[in-house]
Amino acid sequence: MPHPTISFRHAIARQPARSATSGLRAEDRGAPDIARMRRDHAAYVEALEATGARVTVLEPLEAFPDAHFVEDVALCLPEGAVLLKPGAPSRAGEVEAMAPALAAHFDEIRAITGPGTIEGGDILVTPREILVGLSARTSREGAEELARLAAPWGHELRICQTPPGVLHFKTGCALLDEETILATPRLAASGCFAGYRTLLTPEGEEPAANAIRFNDKVILPAGFPRTAEMLTDAGFTVTPLRNDEFALLDGGMSCLSLRF
Ligand code: CIR
């Protein structure tokens, strides 16, 4: 049976802007439909709220097409928040826009100043450590600066590698409970989850790994029935949510919220 996990009382999300049609993507598979994207975003917020959490939904930012992927610009820890430094130049200005929302919840806010870069999608916080996957967006210098900022709060950071060609570390993994990680076989094969219990996405269902455990739910992108069944059999309560539009922009379930 799943172990109890850290509970979340708040989340911050941001509505997609009309400019989201020009969001970054590794491969152009067509522009997302904004109306559908907003409907799916609303369903996501509702799913978080249904667990009893309060969700702050920020206004769209037309100047920043990827700004609804709020996870990448900040890290929320129990002791305080860290403003990050995206590796995508077009996303740099999103950080400043997030600061006021964090100030409403955190007394202590630190900031990555560079020269390294680090995006939240590359950070997996577990009860024992902070795992950071180096990627095209997250540099060793960025990870090391985060390690220095988080150490006085009692957090240890371990540097891993996001597989080449994969946008973010958490594109391929999610923390399901205090000791269990859902991961793609490719990411798990790197050995970075040694000491954890891992559940692997079945072949062909790798995008399902971009999931989140939020209070009593595992929120999973819809369309991955074998993963959903595996998690249900393992004792988790699974909530599948449509993710087609966000997937066109390389987004999954974790990137749409900051959770604390
Ligand atoms: C980007 O390339 O930055 C966005 N289109 C997608 C960001 C997804 N973020 C995440 O998985 N944490």
Side-chain angles (χ1 to χ4, degrees):
M1 284 304 285
H3 289 247
T5 196
I6 308 150
S7 63
F8 298 98
R9 294 176 58 207
H10 291 104
I12 298 175
R14 184 183 292 284
Q15 278 194 355
R18 286 188 305 279
S19 62
T21 47
S22 46
L24 297 172
R25 64 208 84 174
E27 189 193 327
D28 198 354
R29 288 172 285 137
D33 178 302
I34 297 300
R36 262 189 271 167
M37 203 179 215
R38 288 187 172 159
R39 188 189 58 198
D40 294 349
H41 191 267
Y44 178 85
V45 169
E46 250 175 59
L48 299 183
E49 285 174 339
T51 72
R54 293 251 314 260
V55 183
T56 303
V57 182
L58 305 173
E59 292 295 311
L61 283 182
E62 290 299 338
F64 297 101
D66 285 295
H68 49 278
F69 296 123
V70 288
E71 171 182 71
D72 294 321
V73 300
L75 176 66
C76 297
L77 295 168
E79 301 79 10
V82 181
L83 293 166
L84 301 173
K85 194 159 182 291
S90 66
R91 302 199 57 188
E94 294 175 28
V95 178
E96 200 185 332
M98 179 55 72
L102 291 174
H105 292 281
F106 292 92
D107 292 334
E108 218 181 320
I109 300 182
R110 301 178 176 182
I112 300 286
T113 55
T117 60
I118 180 162
E119 296 192 355
D122 282 315
I123 307 173
L124 182 75
V125 180
T126 83
R128 59 181 99 149
E129 60 188 342
I130 299 175
L131 294 170
V132 175
L134 304 185
S135 70
R137 301 286 182 87
T138 294
S139 64
R140 181 171 293 277
E141 292 77 8
E144 285 171 350
E145 188 177 356
L146 177 62
R148 288 194 295 277
L149 295 183
W153 286 336
H155 293 277
E156 266 185 44
L157 185 147
R158 181 155 62 90
I159 294 182
C160 305
Q161 188 66 51
T162 299
V166 173
L167 176 61
H168 285 131
F169 192 64
K170 279 189 292 186
T171 305
C173 66
L175 185 75
L176 296 181
D177 65 27
E178 280 162 14
E179 58 168 31
T180 310
I181 291 174
L182 173 67
T184 62
R186 186 180 179 208
L187 182 54
S190 71
C192 58
F193 303 130
Y196 293 91
R197 168 182 177 233
T198 50
L199 293 175
L200 302 182
T201 51
E203 200 180 337
E205 295 206 354
E206 291 77 8
N210 194 336
I212 52 168
R213 167 75 190 258
F214 193 77
N215 295 329
D216 59 333
K217 292 181 179 175
V218 175
I219 301 179
L220 202 67
F224 302 105
R226 285 175 296 145
T227 309
E229 192 185 335
M230 173 181 77
L231 297 179
T232 304
D233 288 349
F236 294 100
T237 304
V238 176
T239 300
L241 291 181
R242 197 168 34 211
N243 185 51
D244 309 15
E245 308 304 317
F246 294 110
L248 289 172
L249 302 173
D250 306 328
M253 292 294 127
S254 72
C255 46
L256 294 176
S257 58
L258 289 169
R259 303 166 291 279
F260 46 95

